[in-house]
Amino acid sequence: MSMPFIDLAAQQRRIRDKIDAAIAKVLDSGAYVMGPQVREFEGRLAEFGQAKLALSCGNGTDAIALPLMAWGVGPGDAVFCPSFTFAATPEVVPWVGATPVFVDVLPDTFNLDPARLEAAIAGIKAEGKLVPKVVIAVDLFGQPADYPAIRAICDREGLKLISDSAQGFGCTLGGKHPLHWADVATTSFFPAKPLGCYGDGGAVLTNDQELWDLMDSYRVHGKAVAPDLVGRTFDHDTKYLNTRIGMNSRLDTIQAAILIEKLAIFAEEIALRQGVADRYAEGLEGAVIATPKVIDGGVSVWAQYVIEHENRDGLATHLKTQGIPTAVYYPVPMHVQAPYADFPRGAGGLPVTEAKAETVLALPMHPYLAEDDQKAIIEAIRAFNG
Ligand SMILES: Cc1ncc(COP(=O)(O)O)c(C=O)c1O
C-alpha cells in the first residue's frame, strides 16, 4: 500500500478544467502582475475571513512582516510568539530589528498559553531592556488560538495582536474568524496549506484601511499610496515616488486566478477535513495515543492531524513499513535552533514545547482521504505495540 501525505492531485482532478480556464485567461490578458484577479481574490478572501479588507502578498512570511513594518516595530521592541511553530513566525521579527520573545504553549491545543504570555510580558517589563509591542498567536495545525484570553492581555498591555493563521485560515472560534480579536490575520498559500495555490503566496486581513494603505506601500517598494499624496502636487509620475523603504511582495495574477477557484470549494473542503478528523478520533479512541483536542467552540481546518505517542519514532517507522507516510511538526522548537537560541524566553522556560517536540506525529490529512486508506492507517496504528 502507498498513499500520499497530502493529496493535492485529487483536488486538482476535481477542478482542473476551471483552473486551466483561469490560467488561460491570465495568459491571454498579459496582466501578469497585479492583474484584476488579484483585487477580485482579495475581495473574496476578505469576505470569507469576515474582514473588511485583504492585502495579498508574495508569501505567508512577508504577510507577518508587513504589519510589523507598517506599525514601525523596530529595535528595542519585544514581539511575543510561540516557539512551537514554523520558522517564519519568529523569523520576521529580527528583520525589522525587534526581538522575539518565546512563550510556551498549552499542552492540549499546542497553541499559545495565555498565562505564560502574561508571565513573559511581566518578565520583559521587569527587566526593562525591551518594550512589549506585539503578540503573534499561531493557529497551529489549523485550530484557533485562545483569542479571547490573548486579546484581553493585549488590551491590558497595549499590544498589537497578529494572528499567524498560515495553517489555520478558515478556522473559527464561536463562529468568528481570528480577525474578530486580532489586529491583523495573516495566511500562506503555500501549496500544502489548507488554502494553497500552485507556488508561493500570502495575505494579510485587516479591518483598518489606513493600515491596508501602508502595507500596500510596503509590499511594492514603499511606493507612494493615496494618503501620501493628499495636498501635494508633483511634476512627475507618482508611480515612481517612494515614500518609505519597502519590499517586493506581490501575489502573481496567475496564483490569484487559481486561488479564486480554490476558494470557491474551500468551505466544502473544510467540512471534508472535519469528517476525516472525526473518523480518526473515533477510530483511534482507546489506542495508546493522544488525539488532538480543539479549543471549546473552535473549528479547525485541520492543516495537520497530529497525534502523540511516547514512542513516536517507532510508530513512524512501523507506519512507513506499511506504506503510510507521516511527518513531525516540529522536531526542533525554534528557541533551541542556533540562530534563535539567544533570544529571550518567557519566565519558566518552554517545558511543554520541548516535551511536545518528542511526541508529536502528523498523519495523512487532506479533504479527499479515502475511507479505506484511513481505515488502514487506523488499523496500523492500533496494531503497533511499541
Ligand atoms: C505557522 C506558519 N507561519 C508562516 C508560514 C510562512 O508561510 P510561507 O511559506 O508562505 O512564507 C508558514 C508556512 O510555511 C507557517 O506554517
Side-chain angles (χ1 to χ4, degrees):
M1 182 175 53
S2 88
M3 65 180 79
F5 183 65
I6 295 178
D7 190 353
L8 294 176
Q11 183 205 52
Q12 192 182 103
R13 277 194 297 278
R14 182 178 165 191
I15 53 170
R16 180 65 190 249
D17 54 339
K18 293 199 170 82
I19 298 269
D20 281 343
I23 292 173
K25 201 170 157 197
V26 178
L27 295 185
D28 290 344
S29 78
Y32 308 130
V33 174
M34 287 303 196
Q37 289 87 343
V38 173
R39 280 289 149 83
E40 182 185 337
F41 172 63
E42 287 176 340
R44 291 183 188 210
L45 189 76
E47 196 182 335
F48 194 99
Q50 297 170 345
K52 281 197 189 131
L53 302 158
L55 179 107
S56 61
C57 60
N59 52 68
T61 309
D62 290 353
I64 314 169
L66 281 163
L68 294 179
M69 293 167 87
W71 289 329
V73 175
D77 293 339
V79 176
F80 301 84
C81 64
S83 164
F84 200 45
T85 181
F86 182 65
T89 312
E91 180 182 29
V92 296
V93 179
W95 284 8
V96 296
T99 303
V101 180
F102 291 112
V103 179
D104 213 357
V105 292
L106 291 162
D108 51 358
T109 64
F110 307 143
N111 277 336
L112 209 53
D113 180 337
R116 294 293 190 144
L117 175 62
E118 275 196 299
I121 296 168
I124 290 296
K125 280 167 64 176
E127 208 180 47
K129 289 190 196 144
L130 298 168
V131 181
K133 280 285 169 68
V134 179
V135 173
I136 307 178
V138 176
D139 298 327
L140 200 71
F141 306 145
Q143 76 149 307
D146 186 350
Y147 285 108
I150 296 169
R151 178 77 252 174
I153 295 167
C154 290
D155 284 346
R156 215 159 41 236
E157 300 288 344
L159 309 181
K160 298 280 191 199
L161 176 57
I162 296 177
S163 157
D164 174 356
S165 213
Q167 300 180 18
F169 181 74
C171 74
T172 52
L173 187 55
K176 297 191 170 80
H177 286 251
L179 189 67
H180 179 77
W181 297 274
D183 295 284
V184 298
T186 67
T187 192
S188 162
F189 304 124
F190 183 79
K193 295 287 187 262
L195 180 63
C197 61
Y198 291 147
D200 279 309
V204 192
L205 279 73
T206 180
N207 292 321
D208 181 345
Q209 180 70 57
E210 216 173 300
L211 180 68
W212 192 97
D213 286 335
L214 265 179
M215 294 191 297
D216 183 29
S217 169
Y218 279 108
R219 82 171 155 177
V220 187
H221 306 288
K223 70 173 180 179
V225 287
D228 296 320
L229 305 176
V230 175
R232 299 168 73 187
T233 52
F234 299 93
D235 57 6
H236 56 80
D237 186 349
T238 54
K239 188 175 170 200
Y240 296 108
L241 184 66
N242 301 87
T243 45
R244 51 192 67 79
I245 294 173
M247 57 191 188
N248 178 14
S249 187
R250 294 172 289 218
L251 181 69
D252 291 340
T253 311
I254 284 182
Q255 301 301 347
I258 291 164
L259 281 162
I260 289 169
E261 298 306 331
K262 290 197 175 203
L263 188 59
I265 57 166
F266 188 47
E268 189 194 327
E269 288 189 335
I270 294 173
L272 289 169
R273 285 175 183 275
Q274 184 60 49
V276 173
D278 290 344
R279 290 203 295 272
Y280 270 137
E282 197 184 317
L284 293 172
E285 205 188 332
V288 193
I289 54 157
T291 51
K293 157 108 176 53
V294 175
I295 188 172
D296 285 348
V299 172
S300 176
V301 294
W302 299 107
Q304 307 293 346
Y305 191 88
V306 174
I307 60 170
E308 288 183 76
H309 197 286
E310 276 179 18
N311 184 7
R312 184 262 314 281
D313 296 338
L315 176 58
T317 306
H318 163 78
L319 294 175
K320 194 173 171 194
T321 58
Q322 306 196 29
I324 298 168
T326 57
V328 174
Y329 305 109
Y330 292 93
V332 188
M334 294 312 300
H335 70 283
V336 294
Q337 303 231 19
Y340 296 89
D342 291 336
F343 289 124
R345 300 159 186 197
L350 291 95
V352 177
T353 297
E354 285 162 18
K356 294 292 163 195
E358 303 292 323
T359 58
V360 288
L361 187 68
L363 303 179
M365 164 54 85
H366 58 89
Y368 306 98
L369 185 59
E371 286 198 33
D372 283 351
D373 283 349
Q374 205 178 354
K375 266 192 201 138
I377 298 166
I378 291 165
E379 272 165 28
I381 293 170
R382 295 195 79 98
F384 179 62
N385 300 313

